[in-house]
Amino acid sequence: MRLKKRFRSDRTARPGRGRTLRFHRRRPARAALAGVLAGVLALSGCSLLGDDSGDSPASGGTAAPHATAGAGQDVPYDVTPLLKPAKKYFGASVPGAPTSMKNVDAYTRMTGKQPNLVEYYAGWGDGFDATGVRNAWAEGALTLMSWEPFDTPLADIAAGESDAYLKKYATAVRELNLPVVIDFADEFNGHWEKWGTKDVTPAQYVAAWRHIHQTFVDAGATNVIWAWSPNIVNPVPDVKLKPYYPGDAYVDWVGLIGYFTAGEDNSFDSVFGTTRDRVRTFTKKPILLLETGAVPGERRRADIRNLFAGVAADDDMLGFIWFNHKKRADWRLEASPLALKEFKRLAADDRFGFDVRKPS
């Protein structure tokens, strides 16, 4: 069973997602879309879904650049510099963020470094959190949304039954026009998810992913970075990943989800190596540790050292997001003062963290 819970964008906890008892683009060229974007409305800075104040898109921070390609036309934010930056992403998932950045600021004080990638969880049907994206951007951080279709079959999404919702969502993302990372239906290779191996075929998963991606492209929302995110294969070694891969035209990042756990070999390669090697047989897209942590205990300091060293040593590793929640296990850094001290020491490395508004 899974050792943490998921969250909807209204911040209520979801039921625990199952995990084994381990604590465990050739994207269509954006320039090519310029012709289709003639006549697109000027940047509104407000969400079409959910509550949003409609204030400026980066109030308190640097606004997204808008190169003018023609009268009445604004150009989607070019995320290219963010796809594989020179430095590593230093990410965090903390309660309430990015709608409120209070806990991100506390995490910054605790670790001595500002996270530049903030992850949150949203259910299919939830509105786009434009306010949260702006809040994070104002502090130099990119937002990553883990989009979870708990109550909607993937076959229905692929068939277009959610298109009214999906088109409004894509339009809201396009109109905000700040970069956003979307991770849809993660851990699909596990049996513990409603969109996992017990209920969804690889073909259904790929069809849903491609349909969502194409809807965003049709809306001109190329300001999205798409992260395809399997769970590490250790607990499900017989599930092949390649059949679930939507293809390089639909994916920007591979986002691995895996934890350093108790009672196992916790070298970086032991935790992530097998999955990384399997992924490398069918794509060369850069890899982000999209969700990770280490179980509290005497090994946590060593696990943290392994995490930083493993990410730093691999040029194709973009960085990591630490899951700083107490959910079934206490993944919070503050739960282990000595390990926190080690984390803070390693986080000071200049290779980790940068202002995403100035990626180069």
Side-chain angles (χ1 to χ4, degrees), residues 76-134:
Y77 193 103
D78 183 7
V79 301
T80 304
L82 295 168
L83 295 180
K84 195 175 180 183
K87 294 185 178 182
K88 307 288 186 179
Y89 284 101
F90 178 75
S93 174
V94 298
T99 301
S100 168
M101 294 294 283
K102 177 181 177 180
N103 287 331
V104 176
D105 296 339
Y107 188 91
T108 301
R109 292 191 296 270
M110 179 175 69
T111 64
K113 180 163 285 188
Q114 170 79 43
N116 66 346
L117 187 55
V118 177
E119 180 174 16
Y120 79 99
Y121 303 90
W124 188 263
D126 291 346
F128 173 52
D129 188 6
T131 296
V133 174
R134 287 197 296 267

Side-chain angles (χ1 to χ4, degrees), residues 3 19-24 259-262 295 328-329 331:
L3 297 181
R19 177 177 274 175
T20 59
L21 288 176
R22 302 167 50 83
F23 283 138
H24 57 332
Y259 288 74
F260 294 85
T261 65
V295 70
R328 298 194 179 179
W331 306 104

Side-chain angles (χ1 to χ4, degrees), residues 173-193:
V173 172
R174 171 64 185 96
E175 291 196 349
L176 179 63
N177 206 16
L178 291 174
V180 179
V181 185
I182 294 180
D183 152 35
F184 173 72
D186 65 352
E187 302 190 23
F188 50 83
N189 57 319
H191 55 269
W192 49 83
E193 300 290 12

Side-chain angles (χ1 to χ4, degrees), residues 89-304:
Y89 284 101
F90 178 75
S93 174
V94 298
T99 301
S100 168
M101 294 294 283
K102 177 181 177 180
N103 287 331
V104 176
D105 296 339
Y107 188 91
T108 301
R109 292 191 296 270
M110 179 175 69
T111 64
K113 180 163 285 188
Q114 170 79 43
N116 66 346
L117 187 55
V118 177
E119 180 174 16
Y120 79 99
Y121 303 90
W124 188 263
D126 291 346
F128 173 52
D129 188 6
T131 296
V133 174
R134 287 197 296 267
N135 291 342
W137 187 256
E139 296 192 13
L142 187 60
T143 299
L144 187 151
M145 179 190 71
S146 185
W147 210 356
E148 302 180 311
F150 280 102
D151 303 316
T152 304
L154 266 62
D156 290 354
I157 294 174
E161 295 188 19
S162 294
D163 276 6
Y165 164 68
L166 186 55
K167 289 174 182 178
K168 287 182 180 180
Y169 203 107
T171 301
V173 172
R174 171 64 185 96
E175 291 196 349
L176 179 63
N177 206 16
L178 291 174
V180 179
V181 185
I182 294 180
D183 152 35
F184 173 72
D186 65 352
E187 302 190 23
F188 50 83
N189 57 319
H191 55 269
W192 49 83
E193 300 290 12
K194 287 186 176 181
W195 53 87
T197 56
K198 284 185 177 179
D199 301 295
V200 175
T201 67
Q204 289 171 331
Y205 179 87
V206 168
W209 181 286
R210 290 181 176 179
H211 181 73
I212 293 167
H213 184 280
Q214 188 60 48
T215 302
F216 274 73
V217 171
D218 290 346
T222 57
N223 50 307
V224 175
I225 296 171
W226 295 92
W228 176 78
S229 303
N231 193 80
I232 55 172
V233 301
N234 300 15
V236 283
D238 296 330
V239 179
K240 297 183 183 302
L241 293 178
K242 186 176 180 179
Y244 288 91
Y245 189 61
D248 281 358
Y250 301 90
V251 172
D252 298 304
W253 293 349
V254 172
L256 302 187
I257 298 175
Y259 288 74
F260 294 85
T261 65
E264 298 180 31
D265 179 0
N266 276 3
S267 71
F268 187 86
D269 278 350
S270 293
V271 179
F272 299 106
T274 301
T275 312
R276 177 199 60 212
D277 293 346
R278 290 191 187 183
V279 165
R280 284 291 171 252
T281 65
F282 55 86
T283 183
K284 301 301 180 185
K285 294 292 184 177
I287 295 173
L288 173 77
L289 302 187
L290 186 137
E291 190 184 293
T292 194
V295 70
E298 60 184 26
R299 283 178 37 169
R300 193 180 235 196
R301 280 185 292 173
D303 293 341
I304 287 171

